[in-house]
């Protein structure tokens, strides 16, 4: 088991990839399965570029050795040959980045954007995103697209329960039940806007990443997942420990580089702002209630 520090946002078991959820993964409502799955459509409808030329065998060997001795290098498995879809988690990729479903998601939708350039693997995200303007611009453009994808998936999961999304859902049912359903690109112009699901998606990086490879989190705000098991899980995505993409670039010497004793910060509900101190179980129960209301908005 790898060493952990007080500031790790995930558990040692998550780092090694052997963590188990508290409860079985939630099943998807049967009616929502009829709706287009944004992730499936992207994977099936996109023509993938030719994978980059593998690095020299010596570098390949060095990477494998590093991974075998340091579980914090676990994200590397998705980078070298994403066309093989390791563990079935790859959502999209090109020569420069891979998008995967987080292995231990902390929300209904939780994606990771990971650069494939070995020179960027182990750079600190706060430094790189603050100093490399070209990289920041590239990441921002990609995050914008991935957030839209995540919002579509959130709508697929919960749109049929939402009052404000009802016009969209009704129109979608009619379109998908027709003899010639429109393509994804055609649907956009044929459907009313409905609920703003994009407002419930956020993106950012942790000030103290627990995994070595640089990665950007794109996730829904609901914090509903069997893997949301500890106070630090919640705080890591709902406090200043997460630096959101619109905060970059950070000024040199910014206090954001040093979050302090963040695992002891007070927990507050992401939706209503009510404080729960260190009482994670009470926060979880409260969030379950808020989640039911949020879904129906």
């Amino acid at each position: 088991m790898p060493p952990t520090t007080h500031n790790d946002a995930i558990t040692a078991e998550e780092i090694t990839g052997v963590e188990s959820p508290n409860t079985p993964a939630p099943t998807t409502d049967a009616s929502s399965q009829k709706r287009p799955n944004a992730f499936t459509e992207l994977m099936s409808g996109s023509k993938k570029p030719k994978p980059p030329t593998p690095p020299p065998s010596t570098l390949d060997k060095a990477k494998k050795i590093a991974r075998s001795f340091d579980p914090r290098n676990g994200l590397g498995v998705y980078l070298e040959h994403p066309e093989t879809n390791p563990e079935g988690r790859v959502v999209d990729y090109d020569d420069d980045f891979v998008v995967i479903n987080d292995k231990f998601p902390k929300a209904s939708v939780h994606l990771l954007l990971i650069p494939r350039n070995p020179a960027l693997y182990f750079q600190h995200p706060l430094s790189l995103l603050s100093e490399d303007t070209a990289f920041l611009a590239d990441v921002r453009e990609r995050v914008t697209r991935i957030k839209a994808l995540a919002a579509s998936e959130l709508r697929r999961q919960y749109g049929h329960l939402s009052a404000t999304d009802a016009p969209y859902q009704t129109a979608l049912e009619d379109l998908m039940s027709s003899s010639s359903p429109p393509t994804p690109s055609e649907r956009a112009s044929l459907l009313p806007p409905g609920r703003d699901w994009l407002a419930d998606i956020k993106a950012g990086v942790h000030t103290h990443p627990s995994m070595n490879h640089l990665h950007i989190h794109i996730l829904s705000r609901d914090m509903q997942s069997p893997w949301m098991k500890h106070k630090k899980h919640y705080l890591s995505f709902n406090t200043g420990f997460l630096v959101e993409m619109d905060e970059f670039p950070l000024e040199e010497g910014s206090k954001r580089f040093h979050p302090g004793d963040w695992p002891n910060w007070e927990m507050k509900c992401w939706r209503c702002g009510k404080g729960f101190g260190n009482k994670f179980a009470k926060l979880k129960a409260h969030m379950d209630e808020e989640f039911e209301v949020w879904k129906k908005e």
Side-chain angles (χ1 to χ4, degrees), residues 35-96:
R35 293 161 174 77
N37 186 316
F39 298 165
T40 301
E41 287 184 344
L42 179 62
M43 289 300 289
S44 62
S46 300
K47 182 178 179 181
K48 295 295 181 287
K50 181 180 178 181
T53 303
S57 58
T58 53
L59 182 56
D60 248 348
K61 183 177 180 180
K63 290 178 181 177
K64 292 176 181 177
I65 291 175
R67 280 203 307 275
S68 66
F69 284 100
D70 189 352
R72 294 179 190 271
N73 290 339
L75 294 179
V77 69
Y78 308 108
L79 302 178
E80 294 170 28
H81 299 289
E83 70 279 4
T84 65
N85 195 9
E87 300 179 344
R89 300 188 183 282
V90 176
V91 173
D92 194 17
Y93 70 89
D94 59 22
D95 289 349
D96 301 313

Side-chain angles (χ1 to χ4, degrees), residues 168-197:
Y168 175 95
Q169 296 295 325
T170 299
L172 178 62
E173 287 289 346
D174 291 342
L175 286 177
M176 300 308 292
S177 299
S178 66
S179 57
S180 299
T183 64
S185 59
E186 293 171 336
R187 283 201 301 266
S189 62
L190 298 173
L191 294 169
R195 180 170 170 174
D196 182 11
W197 296 96

Side-chain angles (χ1 to χ4, degrees), residues 100-154:
I100 68 168
N101 282 302
D102 194 294
K103 190 171 185 176
F104 302 102
K106 301 304 186 294
S108 295
V109 181
H110 190 169
L111 303 169
L112 300 181
L113 173 65
I114 317 171
R116 298 184 66 188
N117 182 351
L120 305 179
Y121 282 178
F122 307 119
Q123 293 200 37
H124 196 286
L126 268 62
S127 297
L128 186 61
L129 289 167
S130 296
E131 298 167 3
D132 190 328
T133 56
F135 180 73
L136 175 59
D138 191 6
V139 168
R140 276 185 168 152
E141 181 178 346
R142 291 169 183 273
V143 164
T144 296
R145 183 176 66 85
I146 298 168
K147 287 177 69 175
L149 177 70
S152 294
E153 177 59 15
L154 201 62

